[in-house]
Amino acid sequence: MTTMTSTAPAFASLFDLSGKVALVTGARTGLGKALAEALASAGADVVGLGSRPMPETSRAVAAQGRSFHEVVCDLEKPHDFHALVADVVARAGGIDILVNNAGIIRREDVLDYTEADWDAVMTVNLKSLFQLSQAVGRHMVASGRQGRIVNIASLLSFQGGIRVPAYTAAKHGVAGLTKLMANELAPKGITVNAIAPGYMETDNTAALRADPERTRQLMDRIPAGRWGAPQDLATAVLFFAAPASGYVTGTVLPVDGGWMAR
């Protein structure tokens, strides 16, 4: 008789983030809070960056037995991201994982869309993502880390959408930057991937969820038949952040309830 040996500890170690530090932007609520909590559950200490204080995220990370450092920073404004990263490194001891989640959305017909809305969305959703990734990437290379960068893209990284021109342009840019950074940073031991969430229950979709007709249209298109929850991204971020995922890079992974399959 063949005796089966349990491989549970080995599999668990594949996703063990003990001793790692994760910097998560947009960590105050919604997807960012859930991503921070997921990383903490795997053993990572968390640095949360948000435009306002993040007491709920701090409590959620502490409940996992991990430390939480808060960085209050409005990404619409100019910043010295290299100084910001240096400050985070001094406080947390380093950065092993960067999750670029921060994002805003401004809705208006394309013919009426303002330059101010365009600039705000592009600054937060694309420009700051690149600048922070660059600063963190330099730290990872200088400190010899096998780093992980995870960007939050969107279904609108693949599609056009309506009434969100800047958001669509930015999220297409996120997908492109993910691939470019993956190409350049892979030889340095840093992977860069992206998660493309579907229609999620977050502040950004509040207007859609308040519209019964639009909600019905969306649910008819989603095979899973429901809005996504922030916790639905946990497995994806842990996969990309995992020490064992070093041969996975340049990927944009939809987590969309089957939307892209329709």
Side-chain angles (χ1 to χ4, degrees), residues 69-104:
H69 298 275
E70 180 178 273
V71 177
V72 176
C73 175
D74 183 354
L75 293 177
E76 279 194 53
K77 299 177 181 178
H79 291 284
D80 182 342
F81 285 97
H82 298 286
L84 186 153
V85 167
D87 179 64
V88 169
V89 170
R91 294 167 61 185
I95 303 170
D96 302 282
I97 301 158
L98 169 63
V99 180
N100 284 305
N101 165 73
I104 61 174

PDB file of all heavy atoms in Angstrom, residues 69-104:
ATOM      1  N   HIS A  69       1.969  50.668   9.262  1.00  0.00           N
ATOM      2  CA  HIS A  69       2.459  52.044   9.237  1.00  0.00           C
ATOM      3  C   HIS A  69       1.595  52.830   8.268  1.00  0.00           C
ATOM      4  O   HIS A  69       1.285  52.347   7.171  1.00  0.00           O
ATOM      5  CB  HIS A  69       3.926  52.099   8.792  1.00  0.00           C
ATOM      6  CG  HIS A  69       4.866  51.378   9.695  1.00  0.00           C
ATOM      7  ND1 HIS A  69       5.412  51.947  10.823  1.00  0.00           N
ATOM      8  CD2 HIS A  69       5.357  50.112   9.646  1.00  0.00           C
ATOM      9  CE1 HIS A  69       6.205  51.084  11.416  1.00  0.00           C
ATOM     10  NE2 HIS A  69       6.190  49.956  10.727  1.00  0.00           N
ATOM     11  N   GLU A  70       1.234  54.023   8.655  1.00  0.00           N
ATOM     12  CA  GLU A  70       0.344  54.852   7.848  1.00  0.00           C
ATOM     13  C   GLU A  70       1.106  55.992   7.176  1.00  0.00           C
ATOM     14  O   GLU A  70       1.916  56.666   7.812  1.00  0.00           O
ATOM     15  CB  GLU A  70      -0.753  55.415   8.750  1.00  0.00           C
ATOM     16  CG  GLU A  70      -1.761  56.303   8.055  1.00  0.00           C
ATOM     17  CD  GLU A  70      -2.829  56.772   9.016  1.00  0.00           C
ATOM     18  OE1 GLU A  70      -3.838  56.054   9.190  1.00  0.00           O
ATOM     19  OE2 GLU A  70      -2.650  57.853   9.626  1.00  0.00           O
ATOM     20  N   VAL A  71       0.833  56.193   5.893  1.00  0.00           N
ATOM     21  CA  VAL A  71       1.380  57.326   5.151  1.00  0.00           C
ATOM     22  C   VAL A  71       0.204  58.087   4.546  1.00  0.00           C
ATOM     23  O   VAL A  71      -0.484  57.572   3.661  1.00  0.00           O
ATOM     24  CB  VAL A  71       2.338  56.880   4.029  1.00  0.00           C
ATOM     25  CG1 VAL A  71       2.830  58.094   3.242  1.00  0.00           C
ATOM     26  CG2 VAL A  71       3.505  56.084   4.596  1.00  0.00           C
ATOM     27  N   VAL A  72      -0.056  59.286   5.042  1.00  0.00           N
ATOM     28  CA  VAL A  72      -1.135  60.107   4.496  1.00  0.00           C
ATOM     29  C   VAL A  72      -0.561  60.968   3.382  1.00  0.00           C
ATOM     30  O   VAL A  72       0.347  61.773   3.608  1.00  0.00           O
ATOM     31  CB  VAL A  72      -1.777  60.978   5.592  1.00  0.00           C
ATOM     32  CG1 VAL A  72      -2.838  61.898   4.988  1.00  0.00           C
ATOM     33  CG2 VAL A  72      -2.388  60.099   6.679  1.00  0.00           C
ATOM     34  N   CYS A  73      -1.081  60.758   2.177  1.00  0.00           N
ATOM     35  CA  CYS A  73      -0.483  61.390   0.992  1.00  0.00           C
ATOM     36  C   CYS A  73      -1.548  61.524  -0.090  1.00  0.00           C
ATOM     37  O   CYS A  73      -2.166  60.524  -0.484  1.00  0.00           O
ATOM     38  CB  CYS A  73       0.675  60.526   0.497  1.00  0.00           C
ATOM     39  SG  CYS A  73       1.442  61.073  -1.027  1.00  0.00           S
ATOM     40  N   ASP A  74      -1.793  62.726  -0.556  1.00  0.00           N
ATOM     41  CA  ASP A  74      -2.745  62.978  -1.635  1.00  0.00           C
ATOM     42  C   ASP A  74      -2.002  62.868  -2.967  1.00  0.00           C
ATOM     43  O   ASP A  74      -1.201  63.738  -3.317  1.00  0.00           O
ATOM     44  CB  ASP A  74      -3.355  64.372  -1.469  1.00  0.00           C
ATOM     45  CG  ASP A  74      -4.417  64.669  -2.520  1.00  0.00           C
ATOM     46  OD1 ASP A  74      -4.594  63.844  -3.442  1.00  0.00           O
ATOM     47  OD2 ASP A  74      -5.058  65.737  -2.429  1.00  0.00           O
ATOM     48  N   LEU A  75      -2.281  61.825  -3.714  1.00  0.00           N
ATOM     49  CA  LEU A  75      -1.539  61.565  -4.944  1.00  0.00           C
ATOM     50  C   LEU A  75      -1.920  62.498  -6.089  1.00  0.00           C
ATOM     51  O   LEU A  75      -1.277  62.463  -7.147  1.00  0.00           O
ATOM     52  CB  LEU A  75      -1.736  60.108  -5.372  1.00  0.00           C
ATOM     53  CG  LEU A  75      -1.117  59.070  -4.430  1.00  0.00           C
ATOM     54  CD1 LEU A  75      -1.438  57.663  -4.913  1.00  0.00           C
ATOM     55  CD2 LEU A  75       0.388  59.260  -4.302  1.00  0.00           C
ATOM     56  N   GLU A  76      -2.924  63.340  -5.903  1.00  0.00           N
ATOM     57  CA  GLU A  76      -3.224  64.356  -6.914  1.00  0.00           C
ATOM     58  C   GLU A  76      -2.181  65.475  -6.914  1.00  0.00           C
ATOM     59  O   GLU A  76      -2.063  66.223  -7.884  1.00  0.00           O
ATOM     60  CB  GLU A  76      -4.609  64.967  -6.685  1.00  0.00           C
ATOM     61  CG  GLU A  76      -5.760  64.139  -7.225  1.00  0.00           C
ATOM     62  CD  GLU A  76      -7.049  64.928  -7.272  1.00  0.00           C
ATOM     63  OE1 GLU A  76      -7.049  66.032  -7.858  1.00  0.00           O
ATOM     64  OE2 GLU A  76      -8.047  64.447  -6.715  1.00  0.00           O
ATOM     65  N   LYS A  77      -1.431  65.591  -5.812  1.00  0.00           N
ATOM     66  CA  LYS A  77      -0.466  66.671  -5.673  1.00  0.00           C
ATOM     67  C   LYS A  77       0.940  66.174  -6.007  1.00  0.00           C
ATOM     68  O   LYS A  77       1.230  64.976  -5.878  1.00  0.00           O
ATOM     69  CB  LYS A  77      -0.505  67.220  -4.250  1.00  0.00           C
ATOM     70  CG  LYS A  77      -1.871  67.796  -3.874  1.00  0.00           C
ATOM     71  CD  LYS A  77      -1.903  68.257  -2.440  1.00  0.00           C
ATOM     72  CE  LYS A  77      -3.274  68.815  -2.068  1.00  0.00           C
ATOM     73  NZ  LYS A  77      -3.337  69.220  -0.637  1.00  0.00           N
ATOM     74  N   PRO A  78       1.830  67.054  -6.419  1.00  0.00           N
ATOM     75  CA  PRO A  78       3.212  66.639  -6.717  1.00  0.00           C
ATOM     76  C   PRO A  78       3.915  66.132  -5.453  1.00  0.00           C
ATOM     77  O   PRO A  78       3.703  66.654  -4.361  1.00  0.00           O
ATOM     78  CB  PRO A  78       3.868  67.934  -7.223  1.00  0.00           C
ATOM     79  CG  PRO A  78       2.735  68.813  -7.634  1.00  0.00           C
ATOM     80  CD  PRO A  78       1.595  68.485  -6.719  1.00  0.00           C
ATOM     81  N   HIS A  79       4.739  65.105  -5.635  1.00  0.00           N
ATOM     82  CA  HIS A  79       5.466  64.536  -4.502  1.00  0.00           C
ATOM     83  C   HIS A  79       6.869  64.137  -4.941  1.00  0.00           C
ATOM     84  O   HIS A  79       7.101  63.810  -6.104  1.00  0.00           O
ATOM     85  CB  HIS A  79       4.751  63.295  -3.953  1.00  0.00           C
ATOM     86  CG  HIS A  79       3.456  63.585  -3.270  1.00  0.00           C
ATOM     87  ND1 HIS A  79       3.385  64.117  -2.009  1.00  0.00           N
ATOM     88  CD2 HIS A  79       2.182  63.425  -3.689  1.00  0.00           C
ATOM     89  CE1 HIS A  79       2.111  64.270  -1.683  1.00  0.00           C
ATOM     90  NE2 HIS A  79       1.367  63.860  -2.682  1.00  0.00           N
ATOM     91  N   ASP A  80       7.766  64.140  -3.996  1.00  0.00           N
ATOM     92  CA  ASP A  80       9.081  63.546  -4.178  1.00  0.00           C
ATOM     93  C   ASP A  80       8.955  62.088  -3.747  1.00  0.00           C
ATOM     94  O   ASP A  80       9.047  61.773  -2.561  1.00  0.00           O
ATOM     95  CB  ASP A  80      10.118  64.294  -3.324  1.00  0.00           C
ATOM     96  CG  ASP A  80      11.520  63.734  -3.509  1.00  0.00           C
ATOM     97  OD1 ASP A  80      11.662  62.591  -3.997  1.00  0.00           O
ATOM     98  OD2 ASP A  80      12.485  64.429  -3.125  1.00  0.00           O
ATOM     99  N   PHE A  81       8.694  61.203  -4.694  1.00  0.00           N
ATOM    100  CA  PHE A  81       8.433  59.808  -4.350  1.00  0.00           C
ATOM    101  C   PHE A  81       9.677  59.089  -3.839  1.00  0.00           C
ATOM    102  O   PHE A  81       9.569  58.138  -3.071  1.00  0.00           O
ATOM    103  CB  PHE A  81       7.831  59.075  -5.548  1.00  0.00           C
ATOM    104  CG  PHE A  81       6.393  59.431  -5.795  1.00  0.00           C
ATOM    105  CD1 PHE A  81       6.060  60.385  -6.744  1.00  0.00           C
ATOM    106  CD2 PHE A  81       5.382  58.840  -5.064  1.00  0.00           C
ATOM    107  CE1 PHE A  81       4.732  60.730  -6.968  1.00  0.00           C
ATOM    108  CE2 PHE A  81       4.058  59.174  -5.276  1.00  0.00           C
ATOM    109  CZ  PHE A  81       3.723  60.124  -6.229  1.00  0.00           C
ATOM    110  N   HIS A  82      10.833  59.544  -4.229  1.00  0.00           N
ATOM    111  CA  HIS A  82      12.053  58.924  -3.713  1.00  0.00           C
ATOM    112  C   HIS A  82      12.232  59.261  -2.238  1.00  0.00           C
ATOM    113  O   HIS A  82      12.638  58.401  -1.442  1.00  0.00           O
ATOM    114  CB  HIS A  82      13.251  59.368  -4.545  1.00  0.00           C
ATOM    115  CG  HIS A  82      13.143  58.934  -5.976  1.00  0.00           C
ATOM    116  ND1 HIS A  82      13.334  57.630  -6.378  1.00  0.00           N
ATOM    117  CD2 HIS A  82      12.820  59.624  -7.104  1.00  0.00           C
ATOM    118  CE1 HIS A  82      13.153  57.540  -7.672  1.00  0.00           C
ATOM    119  NE2 HIS A  82      12.839  58.733  -8.141  1.00  0.00           N
ATOM    120  N   ALA A  83      11.884  60.474  -1.836  1.00  0.00           N
ATOM    121  CA  ALA A  83      11.918  60.833  -0.420  1.00  0.00           C
ATOM    122  C   ALA A  83      10.841  60.065   0.348  1.00  0.00           C
ATOM    123  O   ALA A  83      11.068  59.627   1.481  1.00  0.00           O
ATOM    124  CB  ALA A  83      11.719  62.341  -0.260  1.00  0.00           C
ATOM    125  N   LEU A  84       9.663  59.910  -0.272  1.00  0.00           N
ATOM    126  CA  LEU A  84       8.591  59.152   0.370  1.00  0.00           C
ATOM    127  C   LEU A  84       9.020  57.710   0.619  1.00  0.00           C
ATOM    128  O   LEU A  84       8.815  57.162   1.714  1.00  0.00           O
ATOM    129  CB  LEU A  84       7.337  59.194  -0.514  1.00  0.00           C
ATOM    130  CG  LEU A  84       6.052  58.584   0.044  1.00  0.00           C
ATOM    131  CD1 LEU A  84       4.848  59.267  -0.590  1.00  0.00           C
ATOM    132  CD2 LEU A  84       5.968  57.075  -0.244  1.00  0.00           C
ATOM    133  N   VAL A  85       9.632  57.101  -0.392  1.00  0.00           N
ATOM    134  CA  VAL A  85      10.090  55.711  -0.244  1.00  0.00           C
ATOM    135  C   VAL A  85      11.185  55.621   0.817  1.00  0.00           C
ATOM    136  O   VAL A  85      11.198  54.690   1.632  1.00  0.00           O
ATOM    137  CB  VAL A  85      10.572  55.158  -1.592  1.00  0.00           C
ATOM    138  CG1 VAL A  85      11.346  53.846  -1.414  1.00  0.00           C
ATOM    139  CG2 VAL A  85       9.379  54.951  -2.522  1.00  0.00           C
ATOM    140  N   ALA A  86      12.093  56.570   0.825  1.00  0.00           N
ATOM    141  CA  ALA A  86      13.153  56.564   1.843  1.00  0.00           C
ATOM    142  C   ALA A  86      12.565  56.639   3.239  1.00  0.00           C
ATOM    143  O   ALA A  86      13.055  55.960   4.169  1.00  0.00           O
ATOM    144  CB  ALA A  86      14.112  57.726   1.600  1.00  0.00           C
ATOM    145  N   ASP A  87      11.518  57.437   3.412  1.00  0.00           N
ATOM    146  CA  ASP A  87      10.858  57.541   4.709  1.00  0.00           C
ATOM    147  C   ASP A  87      10.196  56.221   5.093  1.00  0.00           C
ATOM    148  O   ASP A  87      10.280  55.775   6.245  1.00  0.00           O
ATOM    149  CB  ASP A  87       9.822  58.660   4.677  1.00  0.00           C
ATOM    150  CG  ASP A  87       9.081  58.803   5.999  1.00  0.00           C
ATOM    151  OD1 ASP A  87       9.728  59.135   7.017  1.00  0.00           O
ATOM    152  OD2 ASP A  87       7.852  58.569   6.026  1.00  0.00           O
ATOM    153  N   VAL A  88       9.518  55.581   4.125  1.00  0.00           N
ATOM    154  CA  VAL A  88       8.879  54.286   4.392  1.00  0.00           C
ATOM    155  C   VAL A  88       9.925  53.249   4.777  1.00  0.00           C
ATOM    156  O   VAL A  88       9.744  52.471   5.725  1.00  0.00           O
ATOM    157  CB  VAL A  88       8.077  53.813   3.164  1.00  0.00           C
ATOM    158  CG1 VAL A  88       7.637  52.354   3.334  1.00  0.00           C
ATOM    159  CG2 VAL A  88       6.863  54.707   2.944  1.00  0.00           C
ATOM    160  N   VAL A  89      11.033  53.219   4.052  1.00  0.00           N
ATOM    161  CA  VAL A  89      12.099  52.259   4.344  1.00  0.00           C
ATOM    162  C   VAL A  89      12.662  52.483   5.746  1.00  0.00           C
ATOM    163  O   VAL A  89      12.921  51.528   6.494  1.00  0.00           O
ATOM    164  CB  VAL A  89      13.212  52.360   3.280  1.00  0.00           C
ATOM    165  CG1 VAL A  89      14.442  51.561   3.700  1.00  0.00           C
ATOM    166  CG2 VAL A  89      12.686  51.877   1.934  1.00  0.00           C
ATOM    167  N   ALA A  90      12.820  53.745   6.123  1.00  0.00           N
ATOM    168  CA  ALA A  90      13.342  54.046   7.463  1.00  0.00           C
ATOM    169  C   ALA A  90      12.383  53.576   8.543  1.00  0.00           C
ATOM    170  O   ALA A  90      12.812  53.103   9.611  1.00  0.00           O
ATOM    171  CB  ALA A  90      13.595  55.544   7.594  1.00  0.00           C
ATOM    172  N   ARG A  91      11.091  53.688   8.284  1.00  0.00           N
ATOM    173  CA  ARG A  91      10.088  53.319   9.283  1.00  0.00           C
ATOM    174  C   ARG A  91       9.803  51.819   9.320  1.00  0.00           C
ATOM    175  O   ARG A  91       9.601  51.249  10.387  1.00  0.00           O
ATOM    176  CB  ARG A  91       8.779  54.079   9.021  1.00  0.00           C
ATOM    177  CG  ARG A  91       8.899  55.576   9.233  1.00  0.00           C
ATOM    178  CD  ARG A  91       7.709  56.327   8.666  1.00  0.00           C
ATOM    179  NE  ARG A  91       6.451  55.933   9.286  1.00  0.00           N
ATOM    180  CZ  ARG A  91       5.263  56.366   8.908  1.00  0.00           C
ATOM    181  NH1 ARG A  91       5.167  57.204   7.874  1.00  0.00           N
ATOM    182  NH2 ARG A  91       4.163  55.977   9.527  1.00  0.00           N
ATOM    183  N   ALA A  92       9.771  51.200   8.138  1.00  0.00           N
ATOM    184  CA  ALA A  92       9.338  49.800   8.056  1.00  0.00           C
ATOM    185  C   ALA A  92      10.482  48.821   7.816  1.00  0.00           C
ATOM    186  O   ALA A  92      10.276  47.613   7.890  1.00  0.00           O
ATOM    187  CB  ALA A  92       8.301  49.648   6.947  1.00  0.00           C
ATOM    188  N   GLY A  93      11.660  49.318   7.480  1.00  0.00           N
ATOM    189  CA  GLY A  93      12.809  48.445   7.277  1.00  0.00           C
ATOM    190  C   GLY A  93      13.039  48.021   5.848  1.00  0.00           C
ATOM    191  O   GLY A  93      14.020  47.343   5.544  1.00  0.00           O
ATOM    192  N   GLY A  94      12.159  48.407   4.940  1.00  0.00           N
ATOM    193  CA  GLY A  94      12.307  48.042   3.529  1.00  0.00           C
ATOM    194  C   GLY A  94      10.948  47.854   2.892  1.00  0.00           C
ATOM    195  O   GLY A  94       9.925  47.910   3.571  1.00  0.00           O
ATOM    196  N   ILE A  95      10.954  47.638   1.587  1.00  0.00           N
ATOM    197  CA  ILE A  95       9.724  47.356   0.852  1.00  0.00           C
ATOM    198  C   ILE A  95       9.986  46.166  -0.057  1.00  0.00           C
ATOM    199  O   ILE A  95      10.867  46.211  -0.916  1.00  0.00           O
ATOM    200  CB  ILE A  95       9.271  48.567   0.001  1.00  0.00           C
ATOM    201  CG1 ILE A  95       9.070  49.803   0.868  1.00  0.00           C
ATOM    202  CG2 ILE A  95       7.970  48.234  -0.752  1.00  0.00           C
ATOM    203  CD1 ILE A  95       8.864  51.084   0.056  1.00  0.00           C
ATOM    204  N   ASP A  96       9.238  45.103   0.147  1.00  0.00           N
ATOM    205  CA  ASP A  96       9.368  43.901  -0.675  1.00  0.00           C
ATOM    206  C   ASP A  96       8.266  43.786  -1.715  1.00  0.00           C
ATOM    207  O   ASP A  96       8.452  43.166  -2.765  1.00  0.00           O
ATOM    208  CB  ASP A  96       9.326  42.648   0.215  1.00  0.00           C
ATOM    209  CG  ASP A  96      10.406  42.653   1.271  1.00  0.00           C
ATOM    210  OD1 ASP A  96      11.562  42.352   0.930  1.00  0.00           O
ATOM    211  OD2 ASP A  96      10.098  42.970   2.439  1.00  0.00           O
ATOM    212  N   ILE A  97       7.106  44.364  -1.389  1.00  0.00           N
ATOM    213  CA  ILE A  97       5.925  44.245  -2.239  1.00  0.00           C
ATOM    214  C   ILE A  97       5.304  45.630  -2.376  1.00  0.00           C
ATOM    215  O   ILE A  97       5.097  46.321  -1.374  1.00  0.00           O
ATOM    216  CB  ILE A  97       4.887  43.285  -1.615  1.00  0.00           C
ATOM    217  CG1 ILE A  97       5.486  41.893  -1.400  1.00  0.00           C
ATOM    218  CG2 ILE A  97       3.621  43.213  -2.471  1.00  0.00           C
ATOM    219  CD1 ILE A  97       4.755  41.077  -0.347  1.00  0.00           C
ATOM    220  N   LEU A  98       5.014  46.033  -3.598  1.00  0.00           N
ATOM    221  CA  LEU A  98       4.290  47.280  -3.848  1.00  0.00           C
ATOM    222  C   LEU A  98       2.986  46.937  -4.552  1.00  0.00           C
ATOM    223  O   LEU A  98       2.991  46.280  -5.593  1.00  0.00           O
ATOM    224  CB  LEU A  98       5.113  48.226  -4.730  1.00  0.00           C
ATOM    225  CG  LEU A  98       4.374  49.457  -5.271  1.00  0.00           C
ATOM    226  CD1 LEU A  98       3.908  50.367  -4.129  1.00  0.00           C
ATOM    227  CD2 LEU A  98       5.253  50.229  -6.255  1.00  0.00           C
ATOM    228  N   VAL A  99       1.868  47.394  -3.984  1.00  0.00           N
ATOM    229  CA  VAL A  99       0.568  47.227  -4.619  1.00  0.00           C
ATOM    230  C   VAL A  99       0.040  48.619  -4.976  1.00  0.00           C
ATOM    231  O   VAL A  99      -0.319  49.400  -4.094  1.00  0.00           O
ATOM    232  CB  VAL A  99      -0.426  46.492  -3.713  1.00  0.00           C
ATOM    233  CG1 VAL A  99      -1.774  46.348  -4.425  1.00  0.00           C
ATOM    234  CG2 VAL A  99       0.105  45.122  -3.317  1.00  0.00           C
ATOM    235  N   ASN A 100       0.024  48.920  -6.267  1.00  0.00           N
ATOM    236  CA  ASN A 100      -0.449  50.215  -6.758  1.00  0.00           C
ATOM    237  C   ASN A 100      -1.956  50.140  -6.978  1.00  0.00           C
ATOM    238  O   ASN A 100      -2.431  49.797  -8.072  1.00  0.00           O
ATOM    239  CB  ASN A 100       0.257  50.566  -8.073  1.00  0.00           C
ATOM    240  CG  ASN A 100       1.678  51.024  -7.861  1.00  0.00           C
ATOM    241  OD1 ASN A 100       1.940  51.948  -7.114  1.00  0.00           O
ATOM    242  ND2 ASN A 100       2.612  50.358  -8.534  1.00  0.00           N
ATOM    243  N   ASN A 101      -2.708  50.442  -5.942  1.00  0.00           N
ATOM    244  CA  ASN A 101      -4.159  50.330  -5.996  1.00  0.00           C
ATOM    245  C   ASN A 101      -4.873  51.673  -6.103  1.00  0.00           C
ATOM    246  O   ASN A 101      -6.000  51.747  -6.602  1.00  0.00           O
ATOM    247  CB  ASN A 101      -4.655  49.595  -4.742  1.00  0.00           C
ATOM    248  CG  ASN A 101      -6.142  49.738  -4.535  1.00  0.00           C
ATOM    249  OD1 ASN A 101      -6.946  49.147  -5.249  1.00  0.00           O
ATOM    250  ND2 ASN A 101      -6.526  50.560  -3.556  1.00  0.00           N
ATOM    251  N   ALA A 102      -4.250  52.755  -5.656  1.00  0.00           N
ATOM    252  CA  ALA A 102      -4.926  54.057  -5.596  1.00  0.00           C
ATOM    253  C   ALA A 102      -5.486  54.452  -6.957  1.00  0.00           C
ATOM    254  O   ALA A 102      -4.817  54.319  -7.984  1.00  0.00           O
ATOM    255  CB  ALA A 102      -3.965  55.124  -5.099  1.00  0.00           C
ATOM    256  N   GLY A 103      -6.711  54.950  -6.940  1.00  0.00           N
ATOM    257  CA  GLY A 103      -7.324  55.377  -8.188  1.00  0.00           C
ATOM    258  C   GLY A 103      -8.576  56.194  -7.949  1.00  0.00           C
ATOM    259  O   GLY A 103      -9.251  56.027  -6.931  1.00  0.00           O
ATOM    260  N   ILE A 104      -8.865  57.089  -8.876  1.00  0.00           N
ATOM    261  CA  ILE A 104     -10.089  57.875  -8.827  1.00  0.00           C
ATOM    262  C   ILE A 104     -10.775  57.782 -10.182  1.00  0.00           C
ATOM    263  O   ILE A 104     -10.167  57.339 -11.171  1.00  0.00           O
ATOM    264  CB  ILE A 104      -9.827  59.354  -8.469  1.00  0.00           C
ATOM    265  CG1 ILE A 104      -8.931  60.026  -9.521  1.00  0.00           C
ATOM    266  CG2 ILE A 104      -9.212  59.467  -7.078  1.00  0.00           C
ATOM    267  CD1 ILE A 104      -8.746  61.520  -9.306  1.00  0.00           C
TER     268      ILE A 104
END
